[in-house]
Amino acid sequence: MNRPFMQIAQTVVAVGSVLLAMIAVWYAVVVMFDLPKILLPTPVDVVQAGWEERDAILRGMWVTGLTAVVGLFTAFLVGGGLSVLFSQSALLRRALFPYVVFLQTVPIVAIAPLLVIWSGYTFRSAVIATVIICLFPIVNNCTTGLLAVRADHDELFSLYGAGRLRRMLRLQIPGAVPQIILGLRISSGLAVIGAIIAEFFVSNGSVYEGLGALMTGWQGRSRTDALIAALFASALLGLVLFGAVQLLAATVLRRWAYTGIYKSS
């Protein structure tokens, strides 16, 4: 078995072991303190509720997952383009980077209502919110990678008279792959968070089937067991998206992701 796949398998086993331990503690706390179901149901109650609402949860995972993937991909395209511009112009970097930081510092719960007003109770609004929350890690890491050119490599390209385009395609982008992957890893989890938070607001004015909409409805009906089941479904989505980025790094981008042109020899 290849080393990256072995590492993934070990990670899955470790995560599963911790999850089982947490479930055991959870069950013990409920039984020990005789907590009411509306406050904290047992793991069995959550599994039963999840099975009863499996169709709604699966639809919700599809809608939220699609929102997260589209938002993450869009953020990668926008953030990658901005990073290329920032790497080529220090003036643009100084002028525009503070606004990228601004998107990170303003809570998404403060921006989401405005997006609903401007874009409506639509899938598009949820995607825009996801892009906003994913953008900063991608721009920050991609820009760092594109600017981290080793001096000897830069001098070699200058010696051969390489232009900006050739330098970008042959030197900067291949060497920035480890940083790009790092940005995508961070944003993969944030994408699910952004999608669900946006759905809290989007579902207020329309029939929406994302996990965020389900959570809002079940919270209003005091369905704590189903609410926790949806919470686990959202965590699973985040793990799947993170795992997809890891798999991309371990296969398609393995040559650059695990070696990197900037690593010391």
Side-chain angles (χ1 to χ4, degrees):
M1 183 178 293
N2 293 336
R3 181 180 176 185
F5 290 101
M6 178 66 73
Q7 291 176 341
I8 293 174
Q10 292 174 345
T11 300
V12 170
V13 171
V15 171
S17 300
V18 173
L19 178 61
L20 290 176
M22 292 174 61
I23 291 175
V25 172
W26 170 12
Y27 187 86
V29 168
V30 174
V31 173
M32 185 181 302
F33 295 98
D34 194 22
L35 299 177
K37 183 177 179 179
I38 192 174
L39 181 61
L40 183 63
T42 65
V44 176
D45 293 329
V46 172
V47 171
Q48 290 177 344
W51 179 252
E52 292 171 1
E53 301 290 349
R54 60 188 180 279
D55 292 336
I57 290 177
L58 287 174
R59 285 196 303 271
M61 291 180 68
W62 167 254
V63 173
T64 302
L66 183 61
T67 303
V69 170
V70 173
L72 180 62
F73 183 71
T74 305
F76 174 69
L77 293 180
V78 174
L82 286 174
S83 299
V84 170
L85 291 177
F86 291 168
S87 69
Q88 298 301 305
S89 173
L91 179 60
L92 280 178
R93 188 166 65 249
R94 290 195 298 267
L96 298 180
F97 195 79
Y99 294 100
V100 179
V101 177
F102 171 78
L103 293 178
Q104 180 72 12
T105 56
V106 176
I108 193 64
V109 292
I111 299 177
L114 290 174
L115 294 178
V116 169
I117 293 174
W118 295 336
S119 187
Y121 297 94
T122 61
F123 175 79
R124 178 179 57 199
S125 297
V127 170
I128 294 173
T130 305
V131 171
I132 290 174
I133 200 171
C134 291
L135 194 59
F136 176 77
I138 292 176
V139 173
N140 185 56
N141 285 279
C142 288
T143 303
T144 300
L146 292 173
L147 291 175
V149 179
R150 278 176 48 174
D152 53 345
H153 291 156
D154 187 48
E155 291 172 359
L156 180 62
F157 271 69
S158 297
L159 179 64
Y160 283 94
R164 286 195 174 192
L165 181 59
R166 189 176 184 84
R167 187 187 300 266
M168 175 63 64
L169 296 178
R170 296 295 182 89
L171 176 63
Q172 291 179 275
I173 292 180
V177 168
Q179 286 292 332
I180 294 173
I181 292 298
L182 178 60
L184 286 174
R185 284 173 181 165
I186 298 171
S187 293
S188 62
L190 294 177
V192 177
I193 296 173
I196 290 177
I197 291 177
E199 289 169 354
F200 289 158
F201 296 91
V202 171
S203 62
N204 288 333
S206 64
V207 179
Y208 206 82
E209 296 184 327
L211 289 176
L214 292 178
M215 290 178 181
T216 301
W218 287 333
Q219 185 270 334
R221 288 182 286 165
S222 299
R223 290 286 312 279
T224 309
D225 48 1
L227 183 61
I228 295 177
L231 179 64
F232 277 109
S234 65
L236 179 61
L237 266 181
L239 288 174
V240 168
L241 203 53
F242 182 86
V245 174
Q246 289 283 80
L247 185 61
L248 179 68
T251 55
V252 179
L253 301 177
R254 175 175 171 77
R255 174 183 174 184
W256 302 280
Y258 290 94
T259 55
I261 200 170
Y262 306 131
K263 281 194 174 184
S264 300
S265 55

